Amino acid sequence: MDSMLELSVVPFDSGLSITLKGDLDQQAEPKIRSILNWEEGLGDGRRYLILNLHEVNFINSAGMALLIRIARTGRKRDYHTFICGASAHYQKLFRMVGLTEYVMLYPDDYAAMQRIEALESGVTGAGQV
Amino acid sequence: MGFMRRLAYPAAAAALLIAGAAAGWMAAAFLPRDAAAAAAAAVLMAASWAAGWAMRSMVRRGRCEEPDPRTDGARAEREDAGAKAPGDGWNAGFDARQPAARDAASGAAAPAERPSAPGAAGIREDGEGRAPAGVEPMAAELRLAIEIQRRWQPPVDLRLDACRVTARSRQAAEIGGDLFDAVVLDDACVAVLIGDVPGKGLQAAFMVPALLLLFRSEVKRGGGPAELLGRMNRVLAGIGAESLAGGGIPLGIGLLDAKKGEMRYAGAGHPAPYLVMPGRAPRQIESSSLPLGVNMEEEYRDTVFRFAPGERFVLYTDGIIEDTGPDGDMYGFDRFEAELAAWPADMPAAEWMERLLDGQERRRASRRDDRTLLVVEYNAGKAGRVRELRGRSWRVPSAPGCERLIAAELASLLREEWADSGRTDDIVSCVAEAVMNAAEHGNGFDREKTVTVQVHFGQSIMVCRVRDEGAGFDPKAYRSARTAGSRHDDDADYGRGWGIRLIDELTDYWIATRDPNGFCVEMYFLSHDRRP
């Protein structure tokens, strides 16, 4: 079965915002991998990745594993991952599987952007992302 | 030496309890092997007897007190079938919830639920709220025993085709001897069980799971209730269960074909059940025979009948009949039959049972026995309506992504059938994970092989079974990995085992079973308003 995921990538000054639409499962992996060479980081010195899941209807454990791999790669390649728009149910699942050790959860991309701006201006809240 | 001697009894009791619990878990792992199941049941029963001996020894030494229904009864009275943590029971398979581990982690929760309790099973505290030295470990073990028993008996509240099965139980002591069960065998058949272990306390804590283990093992092997009782009887008589349990074990088993509306029932020394039609006098279904474990050669007899629309089949334990009021008058068959006859056609079984049990409690009886009711309703309150379907099944080829089809259909069905449960997202996630596992690991994405999903909705519980054609997996491996807290540093390993982890976290109870046709994961969900 083909992937039911659509992606739209919007760069901003210090990072990338990716909006996902559809289902996030094992079939989504090739599509997500194809948009970027993740092992080389976000490119152009970008340090922040926002994944907007507002229009994602279904996430399974394979999809969550994919998110964790992206976030772990970010630690190695010096970018921070923010997830926004996840439903309360999926936020609960993210905590269960430990995804929140690697990513910050925000209600929407506006909140994530505000946090990024604070980070960029040096207001980091005791050095935490 | 005195110190060592003081510790000896609680230590022995604790060791026996742990040994018994370990035997139970081991039994679950080998359950499909019938000999092993019987052996495990025997070990559990021996443990129950030994634990009872240790408990009594402590009582004789004044170290702790067994629960006294006269003083602790009111405190201990609680609704079991509805209020229990579900189903960390077992069903001829593996208990994936590791009750022992979970209880160890949540051991403090039990007294918090009963703040007025002096301690588990009546252990007294000193004036400063401390239990006597050496008693805390025993109290913890008793809490464990209570929780084990509770988890062995998931709530019964299910619908199958035009039938509805409901059970309610209230115990006279914290660890009761009544047992009940309902095992869905396929999309038309359900086996129901009711029984009453003679002993109480620790013996009951182990006897009840042992009997449920035996029942759930034997019921999957097929045969009618009489044949089932015969097989169980031979196992129990063979290990001397009568002396271990303090008497023969009365048990009744019914096999319901919900599509035909047909019940096949056999009893072993259990009070004769009733067939009740609203507006008419209740009719008793005779089934006289010896309780289990007494006579190896005892033969049991099936009684078969068809339900008329609106008819109810009522099983009960003797605690209902023998409930004694303050002036010594027994509740008795006459009052019970009057309640049955006055049961309105439009009153659900759960409500009727609660009213009856509450009514008995208002009599301020000095209660010494547990009271359990199990009712099978056939189109209750809807006479003339042939079918009342609240279930669905799907069969999908084992292809990557097949879980999405099921997830979408199931979400739609849940919004229709179980909108108020608050569990839609949890259920969809769990079922999707189970289907994905079945297609990938069970059937190896072989499109010739199918994954079958069956769901059944009750008023407050939903059961989902996901079946594949593979050899299955061993939840023990998952448990040990989880217990060890293993983490993968290799990115490729991330996500491995998360499906099972999500199922473990989100279900109220799940089990995995194997049979000659394949492997099945069975998941139970309570609606939010029934969760503890």
Side-chain angles (χ1 to χ4, degrees), chain A residues 85-104:
Chain A
S87 69
H89 172 67
Y90 286 120
Q91 288 187 33
K92 178 174 76 176
L93 301 200
F94 292 166
R95 289 189 189 96
M96 282 178 186
V97 300
L99 180 61
T100 45
E101 290 176 33
Y102 300 97
V103 301
M104 304 293 109

Side-chain angles (χ1 to χ4, degrees), chain B residues 245-514:
Chain B
I249 300 159
L251 218 62
I253 294 177
L255 200 58
L256 168 70
D257 185 326
K259 278 193 168 37
K260 291 183 190 167
E262 182 181 280
M263 173 65 82
R264 185 175 288 268
Y265 175 80
H270 194 77
Y274 284 95
L275 202 51
V276 184
M277 177 61 99
R280 293 188 203 160
R283 178 163 64 94
Q284 251 185 328
I285 308 288
E286 287 304 327
S287 61
S288 57
S289 52
L290 285 176
L292 298 185
V294 176
N295 172 20
M296 178 78 86
E297 307 302 324
E298 183 70 10
E299 289 186 359
Y300 302 92
R301 191 168 52 83
D302 281 343
T303 301
V304 185
F305 59 89
R306 285 227 173 178
F307 284 104
E311 211 161 23
R312 292 135 168 171
F313 179 61
V314 180
L315 292 160
Y316 55 97
T317 55
D318 57 8
I320 294 282
I321 305 300
E322 293 166 6
D323 198 60
T324 308
D327 49 357
D329 65 319
M330 212 189 324
Y331 186 76
F333 283 101
D334 289 346
R335 276 188 235 200
F336 187 52
E337 288 179 3
E339 288 283 353
L340 289 168
W343 183 354
D346 58 353
M347 182 183 284
E351 187 181 339
W352 177 79
M353 290 189 278
E354 302 283 7
R355 284 167 59 129
L356 188 141
L357 293 166
D358 288 346
Q360 288 196 327
E361 272 151 40
R362 282 195 293 273
R363 298 176 70 222
R364 299 180 182 279
S366 61
R367 196 155 289 115
R368 290 193 166 274
D369 207 356
D370 307 329
R371 297 166 299 143
T372 299
L373 291 158
L374 189 152
V375 172
V376 178
E377 296 171 280
Y378 184 67
N379 274 343
K382 298 180 179 67
R385 186 173 166 186
V386 179
R387 289 164 70 85
E388 188 191 348
L389 271 175
R390 287 197 78 193
R392 187 82 61 87
S393 63
W394 297 272
R395 191 184 288 265
V396 289
S398 302
C402 63
E403 78 277 6
R404 292 202 306 251
L405 297 171
I406 301 292
E409 293 249 339
L410 184 60
S412 164
L413 180 66
L414 286 163
R415 280 192 289 272
E416 244 174 62
E417 294 279 352
W418 235 41
D420 299 334
S421 71
R423 303 301 305 276
T424 299
D425 290 335
D426 290 351
I427 294 168
V428 169
S429 284
C430 284
V431 174
E433 294 299 333
V435 171
M436 190 168 73
N437 271 346
E440 183 178 0
H441 303 298
N443 293 341
F445 285 142
D446 179 348
R447 287 170 187 267
E448 297 297 311
K449 296 180 176 175
T450 57
V451 177
T452 306
V453 180
Q454 291 177 315
V455 293
H456 300 285
F457 297 93
Q459 194 172 7
S460 55
I461 192 168
M462 183 252 188
V463 186
C464 179
R465 308 168 95 197
V466 177
R467 176 178 285 277
D468 61 54
E469 300 174 42
F473 61 88
D474 184 356
K476 280 190 301 182
Y478 159 74
R479 285 180 213 155
S480 44
R482 198 167 175 199
T483 306
S486 63
R487 296 288 303 267
H488 301 291
D489 288 329
D490 182 355
D491 274 353
D493 278 343
Y494 257 95
R496 188 164 295 174
W498 282 3
I500 301 295
R501 181 169 180 177
L502 292 176
I503 290 171
D504 202 44
E505 295 277 357
L506 296 174
T507 56
D508 289 290
Y509 162 58
W510 71 278
I511 52 168
T513 59
R514 267 194 209 104

Side-chain angles (χ1 to χ4, degrees), chain A residues 20-33:
Chain A
L20 299 88
K21 185 176 180 181
D23 295 343
L24 186 51
D25 55 13
Q26 61 270 57
Q27 281 73 50
E29 182 160 3
K31 196 169 271 186
I32 288 181
R33 290 214 170 276

